[in-house]
Amino acid sequence: MKDKIKKIDITFHFTFLNVVFVIVFISLFFLFLFVPKIHLKGDYVVDININSKYVDEGVNFKKKIKTISNVNTSKLGSYEVRYVYKDKIFKYNLKRIVNVKDKEAPKIVLEGDKNQYYCPNGTYEELGYKAYDNVDKDVTSKVKVEKDDDRIIYTVKDSSNNKSQVIRKIIKKDVEAPIISLNGDDNIFLEVNGTYIEENVTVKDNCDLDTKLSITNNIDNTKVGDYTVTYEVKDKSNNKSEIMRNVKIREPLKSNTIYLTFDDGPRDGTTDVILDILKEKNVKATFFVTMNGSDSLIKRIVDEGHSIGIHTASHRYDLIYASIDNYFNDLNQVENRIYNITGVHSKLVRFPGGSSNTISKKYSEGIMSTLTRDLLNKGYQYYDWNVDSGDASFANSSTKLYNNVINNLSHDKYNVILMHDTKTYTRDALSKIIDYALSNGYSFDSIDINSMPIRQKLNN
Ligand code: ZN
């Protein structure tokens, strides 16, 4: 059987028709090889989001092909991309469907927190929300708000049925502490045995009308020292707030006593002479120093038992009163100088122009109120004066200065005298002033951190 088929096969092979058939077949095969083949890259139907970028994947085709597209990505719709090719023998026309759809859900933005607490005795009030869609724009009015126990569910759909949902948890619990603020000053100065008057605090709470306030203090008004009054307040949900007030018990300045205070120095040629006179008369004074003069003068001031305080490094009003930072940077320079030379951490301060100066207003409105408070809170004390020797203004001779000082002394009060150890006429009048005072029954003393500060009224 096998042999028979073979025979027939061989016979057929050599027939004329068969030869023609084979030739046609081979020709078609080669023709097929030459026909350019074409097919789409990517899907026939492509869905893209509106306003997104459409990148056409094109076709797999070796020859240059024309692409015709009407895709508008900024408008919802169904579009076509066509790929056209034509030469003398072949013609192709393929297409792809591109659907521009809204695939993005609106966004819901809640006012307030996602976990919103409200007072135990209160009712939750809607805090508001907004919803925005990429196509429909503001869809706030379409938001459906439902309440379910401790949840508020916000749902919104855009015109393409894309849905968004946001949930807010509402919790009946007071988590906010009361807000507490001091009535009166945060730094109170009292003379020894003076009476502390409680000025109390003001308390506000988000939920409770009557909060629990406890006031404790460690004040011992019989002893010079720094004390605190602590105010602690709790609301009904046990949220706690605390605030403190500093109470400083100080030695009163003595009446019939002269406190000589010298600013702007030291200065070689004047401060050294002034120190000699004070030593000779056994009088103690207070020096508010700058960066000027020899270090040895700073050392002498301390070594000879006088008080040393900080005046200023630059003495430039436009600089030190321009900002809080400027002031403290300046102050620290002098403080460090004193410390480096003497080992004394001075916390005594005198403001250039005094605390009542109005010049500072030109550089920074209200700066003296802030500065004085900051100084006290940082542990410094500032001291003004109640007798101006005039040596920085009209009393520009030793006679004028002498007369002005002795005419302004009083036996019934303390006399804190403002002087400048940089002035030659101050140096020259000092001996006579001291002699006059001693022979008229006055005493001399210096000011220190335990002394009751003398403070002028703030004007800026
Ligand atoms: Zn000064």
Side-chain angles (χ1 to χ4, degrees):
M1 190 67 178
K2 250 184 177 177
D3 288 346
K4 212 178 174 183
I5 291 167
K6 239 181 184 173
K7 239 179 190 171
I8 294 164
D9 230 350
I10 292 158
T11 318
F12 184 73
H13 193 83
F14 289 105
T15 62
F16 173 74
L17 268 174
N18 203 21
V19 171
V20 170
F21 176 79
V22 168
I23 291 167
V24 168
F25 181 82
I26 291 168
S27 307
L28 280 173
F29 177 76
F30 277 100
L31 192 67
F32 176 77
L33 278 184
F34 283 109
V35 172
K37 282 178 250 352
I38 183 163
H39 64 84
L40 286 177
K41 279 190 190 171
D43 295 334
Y44 170 63
V45 179
V46 176
D47 289 349
I48 62 159
N49 194 20
I50 188 163
N51 292 326
S52 66
K53 206 179 157 200
Y54 172 63
V55 181
D56 190 71
E57 287 192 75
V59 287
N60 258 325
F61 192 59
K62 287 211 174 73
K63 294 181 186 288
K64 211 178 160 212
I65 198 158
K66 201 169 151 196
T67 306
I68 306 158
S69 163
N70 67 346
V71 177
N72 180 357
T73 55
S74 60
K75 209 176 151 196
L76 298 176
S78 191
Y79 302 94
E80 270 183 20
V81 182
R82 288 193 166 274
Y83 311 93
V84 183
Y85 178 80
K86 197 181 168 195
D87 62 21
K88 277 171 192 150
I89 311 163
F90 303 107
K91 192 178 163 189
Y92 294 105
N93 194 341
L94 267 80
K95 78 168 182 182
R96 189 198 307 275
I97 306 295
V98 177
N99 296 315
V100 175
K101 291 182 170 177
D102 178 11
K103 303 211 274 184
E104 220 174 295
K107 284 189 178 63
I108 302 173
V109 179
L110 299 182
E111 307 273 351
D113 290 335
K114 262 197 139 178
N115 287 330
Q116 185 63 46
Y117 294 92
Y118 66 107
C119 295
N121 53 358
T123 45
Y124 169 76
E125 269 170 46
E126 180 49 48
L127 291 159
Y129 50 85
K130 279 191 179 115
Y132 192 83
D133 185 62
N134 59 327
V135 173
D136 304 342
K137 308 301 173 198
D138 192 343
V139 286
T140 306
S141 60
K142 290 188 180 152
V143 176
K144 229 171 77 197
V145 183
E146 290 160 301
K147 191 168 181 293
D148 135 37
D149 289 334
D150 62 343
R151 300 191 314 163
I152 312 280
I153 304 154
Y154 305 82
T155 315
V156 69
K157 274 184 190 171
D158 66 14
S159 51
S160 299
N161 238 17
N162 295 301
K163 185 174 142 185
S164 267
Q165 193 168 75
V166 171
I167 292 169
R168 191 200 306 269
K169 266 197 99 175
I170 51 165
I171 306 149
K172 221 174 199 178
K173 191 178 170 194
D174 179 8
V175 291
E176 267 177 60
I179 297 162
I180 184 167
S181 55
L182 292 174
N183 298 335
D185 288 339
D186 41 9
N187 288 284
I188 302 269
F189 284 91
L190 285 178
E191 292 182 355
V192 173
N193 294 323
T195 312
Y196 171 69
I197 296 163
E198 182 51 73
E199 287 187 81
N200 227 307
V201 285
T202 303
V203 180
K204 280 181 195 152
D205 189 67
N206 59 323
C207 293
D208 301 350
L209 273 177
D210 38 294
T211 46
K212 256 195 283 171
L213 173 71
S214 78
I215 307 176
T216 49
N217 76 57
N218 62 353
I219 301 170
D220 176 358
N221 68 350
T222 63
K223 274 192 206 133
V224 166
D226 291 355
Y227 305 95
T228 46
V229 186
T230 307
Y231 306 83
E232 198 190 273
V233 66
K234 273 184 195 165
D235 64 16
K236 288 198 176 106
S237 305
N238 241 15
N239 297 302
K240 207 164 80 177
S241 286
E242 201 183 82
I243 201 168
M244 286 194 304
R245 193 195 309 270
N246 299 314
V247 176
K248 292 160 195 249
I249 306 291
R250 294 292 182 260
E251 210 72 71
L253 296 176
K254 296 170 288 222
S255 64
N256 200 32
T257 301
I258 295 169
Y259 299 86
L260 295 173
T261 68
F262 295 100
D263 289 5
D264 293 6
R267 181 184 164 222
D268 297 82
T270 47
T271 307
D272 40 0
V273 178
I274 286 170
L275 285 168
D276 290 344
I277 296 167
L278 294 172
K279 196 174 185 182
E280 184 203 321
K281 312 270 180 203
N282 195 25
V283 163
K284 298 291 178 256
T286 307
F287 291 82
F288 292 100
V289 301
T290 65
M291 297 305 280
N292 299 330
S294 301
D295 287 355
S296 58
L297 292 172
I298 300 273
K299 193 166 182 322
R300 263 193 79 185
I301 290 169
V302 173
D303 286 351
E304 294 176 12
H306 304 289
S307 265
I308 196 157
I310 305 158
H311 190 40
T312 176
S314 68
H315 215 288
R316 276 181 53 189
Y317 290 70
D318 64 332
L319 210 76
I320 58 172
Y321 294 142
S323 78
I324 303 287
D325 280 354
N326 280 10
Y327 177 79
F328 280 103
N329 286 337
D330 180 287
L331 179 99
N332 288 338
Q333 285 179 55
V334 186
E335 187 179 353
N336 291 338
R337 184 190 188 196
I338 297 170
Y339 178 72
N340 291 335
I341 299 167
T342 67
V344 171
H345 272 301
S346 180
K347 294 290 169 193
L348 303 186
V349 170
R350 172 163 287 159
F351 289 109
S355 65
S356 62
N357 82 78
T358 50
I359 304 169
S360 55
K361 208 175 267 184
K362 217 167 111 186
Y363 307 108
S364 181
E365 186 81 36
I367 194 162
M368 294 315 295
S369 306
T370 317
L371 268 187
T372 47
R373 220 179 132 173
D374 285 3
L375 263 181
L376 295 172
N377 284 332
K378 286 175 190 251
Y380 297 92
Q381 278 169 219
Y382 64 94
Y383 294 81
D384 292 313
W385 57 88
N386 62 353
V387 178
D388 182 1
S389 72
D391 69 348
S393 49
F394 62 92
N396 53 4
S397 74
S398 63
T399 314
K400 279 188 200 166
L401 179 65
Y402 171 81
N403 287 328
N404 185 49
V405 170
I406 65 160
N407 287 335
N408 280 293
L409 291 177
S410 164
H411 290 287
D412 309 326
K413 60 167 190 180
Y414 51 81
N415 303 272
V416 178
I417 307 179
L418 169 68
M419 293 177 127
H420 297 83
D421 52 325
T422 49
K423 307 282 185 187
T424 49
Y425 38 85
T426 304
R427 172 195 68 193
D428 299 342
L430 185 62
S431 214
K432 269 181 78 183
I433 291 171
I434 294 174
D435 289 344
Y436 169 87
L438 290 174
S439 59
N440 281 278
Y442 289 99
S443 301
F444 284 90
D445 206 348
S446 61
I447 282 165
D448 66 28
I449 199 80
N450 293 327
S451 309
M452 186 72 184
I454 167 162
R455 299 186 291 173
Q456 294 162 0
K457 196 174 161 282
L458 299 178
N459 288 314
N460 177 29

